[in-house]
Amino acid sequence: FFVVIIVAVIILFSKSTITIGPGEGGVIFESLGSGINTERTYGEGFHIVAPWNRMIVRKVRQQSISDEMNVLSVNGLEVKVNGTIWYEPEFKNLGLLIKTKGEDYERELLDPAINAAARSVVGRYTPEQLYSSKRDVIEQEILDEIQIVLKNQYLLVTRVLVEDVKLPTTIRTAIETKLKQEQESLEYEFRIAKAEKEAKRQEIDAEGKAIANKILSASLTDKILQEKGIEATLELSKSPNSKVIIIGSGKSGMPIILGNQ
């Protein structure tokens, strides 16, 4: 009889203890009471509960869910969007979340919110916008839509990532061709603009040189040229490798110099 009591105590104790792991939270379901106790959320560690009650343990750290959705663009074209959502339950309101939405609240609450937001946002854009330049904007708009739907629902969505947008092959090829042509056009316009700038630079440079030569020519009188010529002649006469012979003078009065070596 004593052994039976010990076994019963051990069984009772094992059913009355629970360990909540890292990143998890728990709420008590009171079988003899009013169901989910929404007043308290149990944190990590060892806990003792009445044997007639049940501890419901769920993850309360940030989690992610990935999905592929078929949605329609603004012009009615069906596209596939691959995305990932980061979410986490409100720790202190875990009991309220489970009591109002059930233990499978991801399927009951999160999935419909994601699908509704994705369809609403993607339906505002053309396939070309979805495929190329609007990815960041779409992510933020989907996040904003989900947060509006889940407001006061005890479930937080913190980030949305649109990983891929799949279009029909013909549409994707047409978009890629158009983008390539636009890029080539921009490159061609850049080369033309660069050539025009270079031509303008050369024109300005030539004009500057012409003005400088005109000013220089106007300032060089016959007397100045004669003085410069005499100075140059004197310098040449000082050279040890040159033999200078003055034969006569030209029309300008400048000496005529001949030299060997």
Side-chain angles (χ1 to χ4, degrees), residues 27 38 41 90-98 154:
V27 295
T38 60
T41 300
E90 293 181 1
F91 178 82
K92 66 178 182 179
N93 292 319
L94 182 60
L96 286 169
L97 176 60
I98 295 176
Y154 319 116

Side-chain angles (χ1 to χ4, degrees), residues 54-184:
R54 178 168 68 95
M55 178 76 81
I56 301 175
V57 178
R58 295 304 308 271
K59 293 179 180 178
V60 292
R61 65 175 181 268
Q62 182 170 270
Q63 305 160 71
S64 65
I65 181 172
S66 298
D67 195 11
E68 181 180 83
M69 295 167 285
N70 294 323
V71 294
L72 298 179
S73 65
V74 70
N75 54 4
L77 179 69
E78 185 176 273
V79 298
K80 292 183 179 181
V81 178
N82 290 328
T84 299
I85 310 294
W86 280 264
Y87 70 96
E88 58 185 88
E90 293 181 1
F91 178 82
K92 66 178 182 179
N93 292 319
L94 182 60
L96 286 169
L97 176 60
I98 295 176
K99 189 176 185 69
T100 56
K101 302 303 176 183
E103 295 184 48
D104 192 13
Y105 50 77
E106 287 94 347
R107 183 176 61 85
E108 297 291 336
L109 179 61
L110 185 59
D111 287 349
I114 295 172
N115 290 329
R119 285 177 170 79
S120 174
V121 172
V122 172
R124 305 168 189 167
Y125 295 97
T126 65
E128 184 175 352
Q129 291 172 326
L130 295 171
Y131 187 75
S132 55
S133 61
K134 293 290 185 178
R135 192 71 57 87
D136 293 342
V137 176
I138 292 171
E139 290 174 349
Q140 185 59 49
E141 289 185 0
I142 292 176
L143 177 61
D144 293 340
E145 291 275 349
I146 294 175
Q147 290 176 339
I148 291 173
V149 173
L150 296 181
K151 186 177 181 180
N152 300 324
Q153 298 290 327
Y154 319 116
L155 190 63
L156 304 175
V157 173
T158 56
R159 186 186 175 193
V160 172
L161 175 64
V162 176
E163 298 168 340
D164 189 24
V165 177
K166 297 180 180 179
L167 304 175
T169 303
T170 54
I171 301 298
R172 187 179 69 251
T173 301
I175 291 174
E176 290 176 347
T177 300
K178 180 181 178 182
L179 292 175
K180 182 179 179 181
Q181 290 173 346
E182 290 177 351
Q183 184 63 34
E184 291 175 348

Side-chain angles (χ1 to χ4, degrees), residues 233-250:
T233 302
L234 292 174
E235 290 297 324
L236 286 172
S237 66
K238 297 176 183 179
S239 172
N241 298 322
S242 300
K243 186 175 182 181
V244 181
I245 304 174
I246 300 177
I247 320 178
S249 63

